[in-house]
Amino acid sequence: QTRTLNRDSREDETREDNSATARRGEVGTRERKRGRRDEKARGRATMRRSSKKSSSSSAAAVPTKAVSKEIERIDQLFYTYADGSSSMIDPEGIETLCSHLEVPHTDVRILMLAWKMGCEKQGYFTLDEWRTGMKALRADSISKLKKAFPELVQEVTRSSNFQDFYPYAFRYCLTEDKKKCIEIPVACELLNLVLSLQFRPQVEKLINYLKVTVDSIF
């Protein structure tokens, strides 16, 4: 009877061991399946990130190419008027530009254009200044520059911008580096050019006063 009990006990232990082994096998199988699912999920996530990066790179490349083409057209327009020896648009080039724009070279809009470019020397446009102005105006051709003039005039005549434009016009007309004042005839022309759009009656009175003053002195 004792031997029978021992045998039954060993059989029970064997069954429990087999059951535990089976459970461990099931757990291991589930973990392997879960691991494979996780690997697939990570793979899909990696592919999505790669796809997004590729799309972003492609999207970024398009504007870059567009900007490059725009700069190329702006530069081509510049060299249409630039002097070959100085690599600048000189007074003669500006006159040609004005004729193509169908405006006189004394038109206030040319002074506004110089302000928009940030030109430092009267009667000369450098390539960097030209690029600055044309990009700001979104103009890479004569036709686009013509269309940009009304918006430029509105921009300059806003009080916040005009406070910058008015002293710029004075500095731009100083033909010498150390010069601090301009002649009265030039000042009269400049006043008429810059202020007559907004203050014509006052400008006419001031100009007449200055002319009378000059005549009385000389």
Side-chain angles (χ1 to χ4, degrees):
Q1 185 176 4
T2 300
R3 285 196 297 271
T4 301
L5 289 172
N6 288 338
R7 186 171 58 250
D8 291 343
S9 178
R10 285 195 297 272
E11 289 177 354
D12 289 341
E13 289 176 357
T14 301
R15 282 195 295 273
E16 288 177 0
D17 290 342
N18 291 338
S19 177
T21 301
R23 285 196 297 273
R24 285 195 297 271
E26 290 176 359
V27 170
T29 301
R30 287 197 296 271
E31 288 179 350
R32 285 193 295 273
K33 288 182 178 179
R34 188 181 300 113
R36 286 194 292 270
R37 286 198 299 271
D38 291 344
E39 286 180 4
K40 289 181 180 179
R42 285 194 295 270
R44 287 193 294 270
T46 300
M47 290 176 65
R48 284 195 295 270
R49 285 194 297 270
S50 298
S51 177
K52 286 181 180 179
K53 286 181 180 179
S54 178
S55 300
S56 299
S57 299
S58 299
V62 173
T64 301
K65 288 182 179 179
V67 169
S68 178
K69 286 291 184 182
E70 181 188 23
I71 293 296
E72 186 178 328
R73 290 191 295 269
I74 288 172
D75 287 1
Q76 287 176 351
L77 188 62
F78 174 84
Y79 287 112
T80 301
Y81 304 103
D83 178 71
S85 59
S86 65
S87 295
M88 291 192 296
I89 299 179
D90 58 13
E92 184 178 346
I94 291 176
E95 286 192 15
T96 304
L97 172 65
C98 290
S99 68
H100 291 171
L101 290 170
E102 299 177 333
V103 297
H105 69 277
T106 55
D107 193 293
V108 69
R109 287 171 293 182
I110 302 303
L111 182 58
M112 291 177 177
L113 181 60
W115 170 79
K116 192 66 175 178
M117 292 181 188
C119 295
E120 296 183 357
K121 188 176 181 180
Q122 183 183 16
Y124 293 89
F125 300 160
T126 67
L127 178 58
D128 287 341
E129 292 167 347
W130 180 265
R131 284 177 177 173
T132 298
M134 295 302 106
K135 284 193 292 185
L137 294 171
R138 301 182 298 279
D140 55 17
S141 66
I142 288 296
S143 60
K144 289 182 181 179
L145 186 53
K146 283 182 180 180
K147 291 178 182 178
F149 271 159
E151 184 180 343
L152 177 60
V153 172
Q154 288 181 357
E155 180 183 356
V156 171
T157 52
R158 284 197 291 268
S159 59
S160 58
N161 291 326
F162 194 79
Q163 290 175 10
D164 181 67
F165 173 70
Y166 183 78
Y168 170 82
F170 172 79
R171 293 192 305 271
Y172 187 68
C173 288
L174 295 175
T175 54
E176 298 175 12
D177 292 339
K178 295 182 179 181
K179 197 173 182 180
K180 294 185 178 180
C181 60
I182 56 179
E183 296 78 6
I184 287 181
V186 176
C188 291
E189 291 181 13
L190 188 60
L191 287 168
N192 187 52
L193 189 67
V194 173
L195 295 176
S196 63
L197 287 174
Q198 298 170 287
F199 312 105
R200 180 169 292 279
Q202 294 91 334
V203 169
E204 288 180 351
K205 289 180 180 180
L206 178 57
I207 289 175
N208 288 334
Y209 169 78
L210 290 173
K211 287 180 177 179
V212 170
T213 303
V214 171
D215 291 339
S216 64
I217 295 173
F218 297 101

